[in-house]
Amino acid sequence: MDSIVITGGSSMVTFRAAPRGDSADPCAGGRFVVELQSEGLHVTRTVLMFDFDWHSLCLHFADLADLWKGGDGTKGWRSVEHDLGLEAVSHHLCHCDLAFTVQDGPTPTWFTRLGGVMTDAGEDLRNLAGDVLE
């Protein structure tokens, strides 16, 4: 993955440079940068991810792609170091409202939350899951 960009309204979330370890060790880690942008907001954070985190993040987006089929619902995901959190609210047969929280670890001294990033349910989220997996 070189970069993945999620846009909605005036908001943009970018995931950049996600090298993964070549080790068979599930605790082998890698880092990526998440960038949140909106009117008057620009936050960048490096996020640590273990191999099992990548798997859970991919599954999270794949689950979101299926969630809208069953009606309204909310799903959340958080990185192992709590640097990045994602909450998604699915609205029946329509779209998914994504909110991203970036903070400085599990006991934060600061955090930033960007909500209202809308994406179409179903295929757009499935494509996003595939992009994260790459």
Side-chain angles (χ1 to χ4, degrees):
M1 161 178 87
D2 291 330
S3 69
I4 296 172
V5 177
I6 305 167
T7 59
S10 64
S11 300
M12 180 169 59
V13 178
T14 306
F15 294 87
R16 288 187 278 119
R20 297 186 213 175
D22 294 329
S23 171
D25 180 1
C27 292
R31 296 188 181 275
F32 73 93
V33 174
V34 63
E35 187 173 5
L36 308 180
Q37 295 179 10
S38 192
E39 294 178 30
L41 172 71
H42 187 177
V43 176
T44 303
R45 179 74 180 170
T46 300
V47 178
L48 171 69
M49 296 283 279
F50 296 112
D51 281 349
F52 55 83
D53 289 320
W54 289 113
H55 182 71
S56 72
L57 182 58
C58 295
L59 286 177
H60 178 73
F61 281 110
D63 285 349
L64 292 178
D66 291 335
L67 180 64
W68 67 273
K69 294 176 188 176
D72 296 344
T74 301
K75 272 187 96 61
W77 176 90
R78 185 168 301 280
S79 67
V80 70
E81 295 278 315
H82 297 262
D83 296 325
L84 175 64
L86 169 61
E87 183 177 275
V89 178
S90 179
H91 304 282
H92 190 64
L93 298 178
C94 185
H95 62 272
C96 191
D97 181 10
L98 301 173
F100 298 84
T101 301
V102 174
Q103 63 187 44
D104 64 336
T107 54
T109 58
W110 63 266
F111 75 93
T112 300
R113 182 171 171 86
L114 174 65
V117 181
M118 299 285 192
T119 186
D120 290 334
E123 199 59 34
D124 283 354
L125 285 171
R126 193 163 312 288
N127 289 338
L128 183 56
D131 290 346
V132 171
L133 186 58
E134 290 179 1

